[in-house]
Amino acid sequence: MEIIVCLKQVVDPELPARDFAIDPATRRQVREGRPLVISTYDENALEVALQLKDRVGGKVTALTLGPQGVAGDAIRLALAMGADEAVAVDDPHGVGLLGVEKARVLTAAIRRIGRFDLVLCGCESADWVERVVGPLLAEALAAACVTFVSRIELRNGALLVRRMADEGFHQLEVRLPAVLSVTSDETNRPRLPKVKDIMTARRKPVQVWPMADLSGTSLDGDAPGVEVRDVALPERTARCEFLPGDAAAQVAALTQRLRDLKLL
Amino acid sequence: MEITLLRGAAVLLLLAVAAGIAVRKLLLIYRLIRLGSGPVPLAPLGVRLRDLVVQVLAHSKVLRRPASGILHFFIFWGFLVLLSTIVQAFGEAFVPGWTLPVIGAAPWFAFLQDVFIVLVLVGIGIALWLRLAVRPKRLAGQDPVGAYMILGLITGIMVTLLLSRGTAIVLDAPRWAAGAEVSRVVAGWFAGAARGTVGVVAAVSWWAHLLIILYFLTWIPEGKHLHLITLVPNILLRKARPRGALALLDVEHADRLGASRVEHFTWKDNLDVFACMECGRCTEVCPANSTGKELDPRRLHTDLRKQLTKVGPALLAGAGDVPRPALVGEVFSEAFLWQCLTCGACVEECPATNEHIDKIVEMRRHLAMEEARVPETMADALRSLEARGHPFRGAGLARDAWADGVAVKRLPAGERAEWLLWVGCAAALNERNHAPLQALVRLLQAARLDVGILGDEEACTGDPARRMGNEYLFQTLARQNIETLTAYGVTKIVTLCPHCYNTLRHEYPQLGGRYEVWHHTQLLARLIDEGRIRPGGAAASTITFHDPCYLGRHNGEYDAPRRVLGAIPGAKTVEMAQCRERSFCCGAGGGLYWLEDRVGQRVSHVRTSHVAATGAQVVATACPFCMLMLEDAAAATESTARPLDVAELLDRSLAEERH
């Protein structure tokens, strides 16, 4: 089984609110000096891939986009957890690409990697939550697509996947090749890497492909169809008001206010 | 003459056989101990000799349990004094009536011997009373046959000795009889007996005495009684590391990380295992065991010994591997290993100075680093440590959020300060601990101390990772911190967190980071002594102090926090029964802050019940982890005693003064 897992590096979603900032020029989150982690569901996708490999054998390739130097930690972690090979697409546009653009670059990289049975990615990224990369990859690669997958199993050559639904799950049989977007459940919590594997991961080769070398990734051609016009931090305000009068008057005033606010 | 010769030859032969059996068994044990790896750096000789005097001759640890302490004291000293009677009994095989030169025939010496015969018998009496009537829980896990066996043998030796002495007085009226008050009473029993009858009794009791002693000799290497031989070397060869420091592991070059087989331990660990006398004091004081969990520090030693004696001989014979139950997972379940709070209560209590924590951490190292098998919530803490340098997932606070509105210098902003306030994640990232931090800064500033913080550049010291067995992550974090501390030229550190204190003080030197490290209660006590902080006001409350394990047992600091509390006017302090060396962990140590306490009673709730028993209104703490645990436990058990940090209490007394 040849599996490719797409890993996105995002600014730690647990970053203290004080350190969260938006660069007004790029309309993107400021990443400098902030810890980067693998986007939450992408780690679940990697875990699902590694479990399948543990059971049926094969190869797991970790794929990420990011300017050189930045991609390192995610790739090393993936290798330490058990990925066999790693590819980082050196992306001069930084990390500000939208899902549509990312899917295009990833498609080109996957084509260059070549053979694959499965492509896994997180069901949504921890920063932009667009949920489009999986389906767009499937479209571009002419592969089957299932979203919100929590478990996969190979039985008699057929891939059985569990797709989370509102009140339960769907059990689907999928033909290969397929692109699956993965959500979390108790069976796919990312494993801790063994220390020995962390140390060997440091020596495993990582292929770094300049984005310009990948065909069909030019972003200058047709526009992605989506443009970020503005990003703003939600403003939270708190106001305190003392109602005048004695207790009875205060109760009456308060009741009226709450009614006005439709809270009563 | 011929009879004496024959008897002498028979005794020599028996002695040779018995000694041969004993030496053979002991040699095997020596080789089993040497299966372990080494070297273990030894503590300075002076320290080791002091321990020998205090712990062996003066029985400092054994005597902590009054009944079993005194009984053992009698038997131990009886054994030393009555060695003289054993030598004399053997001498009599060759020269009838022989006594030790100079002192042997002296009445005062015979008196001393008699006194100890009685004391040993009293000791046996107390032991039987303890085992048959009192039945302390800690003895339940012991092998009863072995225990009664030894009591029986000692009684036999004493009875036959008294009979030998009594009959000797009747038959020979030796000079020493004048002092042997007790033996003379025994002699009185034979007053009317025929001389021939007394002679028979004398011969039988002498032979019985010798034979019991010889059997005893062959039996010492079995089971818990081996401590007669192993305890002295175990104390003399004690390791050099301070108690709070775990062993440094060369993660890059080690061929295995941690211990998953009995032969992976050090020779000192193995010596520990053979020095254990199964007294169960460790298990009795263990907060995990006493709250109904599986962890059993005594079983840690007895089961290691069982496995070592079982598979060791085959390993010594060159068998590469021997089929056996897995040490990690079967002999000791993972739950057993993860329940240890590393609080050190067992180590503190052990009369053999065994080190329980080291062995548990070695097995955790195997789990955490070789197998990457760690309880899920602990794994989350480890992942968080790796990704963001602190173990508190979902904290959402900036490291210096507590310092808003507090005028403290920031070293990363280019400011210089004489003292670094090491904040610690547990304090910085949990709002309940912000007030103690702010109080501490106010106090230090009132004393005109020049203090700065590292802000975002501080990372976890690595203590939780190390105690969860992830030595690799500990070293990564420690090296990063040492680099930061070097860059800012830090030499003096004060910290609110005993875990940080212990790690910075005892563990960073292993990696080249050497600083003068103070716990905040130590510094506050000094500043009060120097008159630089003058507590005022009158905090009219009853306070009990909860000793944090890593300040108390691991670092021996029990007095500084009490001195600070004692300096607050109007504060009345009361002690819990479980205080100082006997303090009971809050439930957070050893990385267990990140593991839900689900089996049996919650350790933190039990601790809160100790607080409640004092009737105190305030439980003072000096550790941000203890604070979090005690706050939660107080809320859950609806305790009325409020947890407050020593710094908060002192700051309040100053604030009252300022009004």
Side-chain angles (χ1 to χ4, degrees), chain B residues 13 109 122 154 171 231 236 275 295 313 317 343 372 421 438 445 493 544-545 548 613 652:
Chain B
L13 185 68
F109 192 63
V122 169
I154 296 174
L171 295 172
L231 197 112
L236 272 180
L295 175 63
C343 73
L421 170 58
Q438 292 158 356
Q445 285 174 345
I493 300 177
T544 189
F545 180 67
R652 284 180 188 194

Side-chain angles (χ1 to χ4, degrees), chain A residues 12 14 18 189-190 194, chain B residues 369-370 380 383 388 394 400:
Chain A
D12 185 358
E14 290 194 18
R18 172 201 282 190
R189 300 189 70 157
K194 296 178 184 174
Chain B
M369 294 190 288
E370 291 279 2
D380 285 343
R383 269 192 214 101
R388 43 192 92 93
D400 53 358

Side-chain angles (χ1 to χ4, degrees), chain A residues 238-252:
Chain A
R239 210 158 55 87
C240 180
E241 188 182 341
F242 290 94
L243 295 173
D246 60 7
Q250 284 176 329
V251 169

Side-chain angles (χ1 to χ4, degrees), chain A residues 12-19 35-37 43 77 189-196 198-199 202-203, chain B residues 251-252 257 369-372 374 376 379-380 382-383 387-388 393-394 396-398 400-401 404 470 472:
Chain A
D12 185 358
E14 290 194 18
L15 191 73
R18 172 201 282 190
D19 297 338
L36 298 178
V37 298
E43 273 196 298
L77 179 57
R189 300 189 70 157
R191 63 190 65 188
L192 276 183
K194 296 178 184 174
V195 166
K196 178 171 51 78
I198 295 176
M199 292 193 291
R202 278 194 241 137
R203 293 188 295 270
Chain B
V251 181
E252 298 276 338
L257 305 173
M369 294 190 288
E370 291 279 2
E371 311 235 344
V374 173
E376 199 52 59
D380 285 343
L382 290 172
R383 269 192 214 101
R388 43 192 92 93
R393 241 190 112 195
L397 278 170
D400 53 358
D404 284 346
N470 196 331
Y472 174 80

Side-chain angles (χ1 to χ4, degrees), chain B residues 65 68 136-142 278-281 284 298:
Chain B
R65 296 281 186 289
S68 52
K137 200 176 145 249
R138 69 183 169 88
L139 294 177
Q142 222 183 38
E278 304 178 22
C279 68
R281 290 160 197 245
E284 190 178 54
R298 167 173 53 197

Side-chain angles (χ1 to χ4, degrees), chain B residues 23-209:
Chain B
V23 166
R24 238 181 87 99
K25 288 183 181 175
L26 287 174
L27 273 177
L28 174 63
I29 286 163
Y30 174 77
R31 292 173 65 214
L32 290 177
I33 290 171
R34 298 287 300 172
L35 262 179
S37 52
V40 174
L42 301 178
L45 189 62
V47 176
R48 292 183 268 150
L49 289 176
R50 185 202 63 204
D51 284 359
L52 197 64
V53 171
V54 173
Q55 289 181 23
V56 178
L57 298 184
H59 265 48
S60 65
K61 292 203 170 177
V62 184
L63 282 168
R64 286 181 181 181
R65 296 281 186 289
S68 52
I70 204 79
L71 89 83
H72 193 277
F73 189 80
F74 287 166
I75 293 178
F76 169 77
W77 275 101
F79 172 72
L80 288 190
V81 170
L82 297 175
L83 270 177
S84 61
T85 64
I86 294 176
V87 173
Q88 291 184 160
F90 277 94
E92 283 190 81
F94 309 96
V95 183
W98 183 80
T99 55
L100 283 170
V102 190
I103 51 169
W108 69 265
F109 192 63
F111 175 75
L112 189 72
Q113 289 172 331
D114 267 22
V115 167
F116 274 97
I117 293 172
V118 173
L119 289 181
V120 169
L121 287 171
V122 169
I124 302 277
I126 302 176
L128 288 173
W129 168 71
L130 269 179
R131 285 181 182 274
L132 296 171
V134 182
R135 296 166 175 265
K137 200 176 145 249
R138 69 183 169 88
L139 294 177
Q142 222 183 38
D143 157 37
V145 180
Y148 286 117
M149 181 89 171
I150 199 157
L151 292 177
L153 289 176
I154 296 174
T155 312
I157 293 172
M158 291 302 114
V159 168
T160 51
L161 178 61
L162 274 176
L163 285 173
S164 293
R165 286 162 77 87
T167 51
I169 292 173
V170 173
L171 295 172
D172 309 327
R175 188 165 77 86
W176 53 262
E181 304 290 339
V182 184
S183 300
R184 281 214 313 277
V185 173
V186 176
W189 300 343
F190 299 97
R195 214 178 147 75
T197 318
V198 179
V200 171
V201 174
V204 169
S205 47
W206 179 81
W207 273 109
H209 186 64

